[in-house]
């Protein structure tokens, strides 16, 4: 996990200070998930909403490892909601881009439930696919104030929040 330079500085400006940035592969997913849980608790998520969001993010991380080249990058921010972005460096989705299922898909030997489950558990999901990989952005509204002093960088940044629709698109 690093606090180093971001690949996309616009995201930090748009969503506020980082709560966590972590590069991961299959061996690191569990450690990143534990740290993510701690940071989300401090940022004001608790109970079932915390569990749901951690599960949704875990599905995105697992997809990055399984389908996106074996590694990924996770970043989270907090404003009125928590924003989590998981990126991989795979080839992206093939044409045509698949829609996120609105009903529970049948399980298969190769998976197929990850994006559906993430959509069900998070307030909103956006999936962007391009030649440089896939970016999944998940949000969850925060109902409790952050428990960490403002000097830690975990205080919220004003902005619009709340649930939104699922979106999936291909970068131009």
């Amino acid at each position: 996990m690093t606090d180093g330079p971001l690949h996309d500085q616009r995201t930090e400006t748009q969503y506020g200070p980082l709560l966590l940035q972590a590069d991961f592969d299959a061996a690191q997913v569990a450690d990143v998930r534990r740290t993510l849980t701690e940071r989300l608790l401090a940022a004001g998520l608790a109970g079932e909403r915390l569990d749901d969001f951690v599960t949704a993010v875990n599905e995105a991380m697992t997809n990055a490892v399984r389908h996106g080249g074996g590694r990924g990058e996770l970043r989270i921010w907090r404003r009125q909601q928590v924003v989590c972005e998981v990126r991989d460096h795979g080839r992206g989705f093939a044409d045509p881009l698949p829609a996120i299922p609105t009903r529970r898909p049948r399980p298969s030997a190769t998976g197929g439930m990850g994006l559906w489950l993430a959509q069900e558990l998070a307030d909103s999901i956006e999936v962007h696919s391009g030649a440089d990989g896939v970016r999944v952005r998940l949000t969850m509204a925060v109902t409790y104030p952050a428990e960490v002093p403002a000097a830690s960088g975990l205080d919220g940044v004003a902005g619009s929040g709340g649930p939104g629709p699922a979106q999936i698109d291909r970068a131009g």
Side-chain angles (χ1 to χ4, degrees), residues 35-172:
T35 302
L36 170 71
T37 302
E38 293 168 3
R39 301 288 172 92
L40 291 173
L41 265 169
L45 276 180
E48 189 174 314
R49 291 189 58 78
L50 172 67
D51 295 341
D52 286 351
F53 198 62
V54 169
T55 301
V57 171
N58 186 71
E59 290 298 325
M61 290 192 318
T62 301
N63 281 349
V65 170
R66 271 184 99 178
H67 307 292
R71 61 186 179 86
E73 178 184 349
L74 174 137
R75 293 184 277 175
I76 60 171
W77 304 262
R78 179 178 188 252
R79 51 182 191 180
Q80 289 179 336
Q81 74 270 354
V82 175
V83 179
C84 179
E85 186 173 275
V86 177
R87 293 181 184 220
D88 69 39
H89 302 284
R91 291 187 248 167
F93 290 111
D95 285 325
L97 252 156
I100 298 173
T102 56
R103 291 197 280 190
R104 182 180 176 169
R106 292 180 180 251
S108 72
T110 59
M113 294 184 66
L115 287 178
W116 172 80
L117 184 59
Q119 173 182 269
E120 290 294 306
L121 297 174
D123 287 343
S124 71
I125 182 172
E126 296 174 27
V127 180
H128 302 275
S129 179
D132 61 342
V134 174
R135 182 183 75 223
V136 177
R137 186 172 289 158
L138 302 154
T139 62
M140 186 69 100
V142 177
T143 55
Y144 301 102
E147 299 173 2
V148 178
S152 73
L154 292 178
D155 55 325
V157 175
S160 63
Q167 297 178 5
I168 186 165
D169 69 10
R170 175 170 297 288

